[in-house]
Every structure is written in structure tokens, then in C-alpha cells.
Amino acid sequence: MGKQIEIKWLPEPGESNYPAAESYLSLIYDDKTAAAVVSNLKTAPLATFAAKDIFRASGLSLLGISNSQVEKDRGKIKDGKPLSPILLVRDSRNGKVIIADGYHRMCAVYSFSEDELIPVRIV
């Protein structure tokens, strides 16, 4: 069995992650609500959850490594470059977690280890 790859994380989400989250959330919520959720994400404390648990809670399908963005993120992991934490929103009405930003990073991480603890901001 080969050496396990260490997945590195930035201490905070990147500034570009928040507009990406707001753009995605604007498809689900009205613009005012999406903006408010992103504002809350910016001040939410970092938490960690296992990749497999985030996937189960989101109800999303796992993108394969043939996806170009997932492969790009896998390359960052292999090169030892840190990834940005994931942005999550609890959708209690539907009993799910929305991956507002970081879906491709999540899939890349999962391809290495479903048990990897992923730093997130969650509201």
C-alpha cells in the first residue's frame, strides 16, 4: 500500500469563494436571502466534518476524477497545495446540506479518502 497523501487546507476560505457561493445560492433563494446567507457564512466559525458525512448530508452524486475541475483539484492535492475550506448551508426544510461552494474540492478530497476531515464554514 502506498503512502497516504496529506491534504492541506488554507486557514480561511478565499475571498473568491463567497461570490461563487452567492451565485449558486441565488439559484435556490432570492437574491436578498442568498446575500444574507453569504454574510453569515463569512462570520461563521470553522468546523470539520468527514467527507463521507458531508456527501451523505448533501444528497449529491460524487463527481468522478474524469471531471476536469475535480482533476485540477486532485493535482493541487498531489502537489501539496492547500485547498480552500468548503462553504455549507443547512437546509432544514429539506433535511439536507447545500454545498454552496467547494463541490469539486469535496469530490477531489473524497477520491483520496472518504474519512478526510474537511474544514467548513456552515450556517
Side-chain angles (χ1 to χ4, degrees):
M1 192 155 133
K3 180 183 172 224
Q4 185 175 353
I5 291 182
E6 178 188 359
I7 300 172
K8 297 179 181 172
W9 296 96
L10 292 170
E12 297 289 332
E15 278 307 308
S16 65
N17 298 125
Y18 295 105
E22 188 167 347
S23 175
Y24 177 72
L25 292 171
S26 292
L27 294 169
I28 300 168
Y29 304 113
D30 61 72
D31 290 345
K32 184 177 178 183
T33 302
V37 169
V38 169
S39 179
N40 289 337
L41 280 168
K42 288 180 179 181
T43 60
L46 279 175
T48 56
F49 294 96
K52 63 185 174 187
D53 293 337
I54 296 171
F55 266 119
R56 287 182 16 211
S58 74
L60 295 172
S61 298
L62 185 64
L63 294 174
I65 59 173
S66 62
N67 178 281
S68 63
Q69 186 61 49
V70 172
E71 188 56 37
K72 182 178 169 185
D73 288 332
R74 282 178 51 82
K76 287 180 183 178
I77 292 167
K78 288 178 186 175
D79 292 341
K81 295 179 181 171
L83 301 177
S84 185
I86 309 295
L87 301 176
L88 303 176
V89 178
R90 287 184 175 103
D91 179 6
S92 56
R93 183 179 62 206
N94 295 306
K96 299 215 180 275
V97 168
I98 298 167
I99 301 175
D101 183 72
Y103 181 44
H104 295 98
R105 292 189 301 278
M106 171 72 64
C107 292
V109 168
Y110 192 96
S111 73
F112 287 102
S113 173
E114 69 177 16
D115 295 317
E116 179 71 20
L117 292 177
I118 299 179
V120 305
R121 286 194 189 259
I122 185 167
V123 295

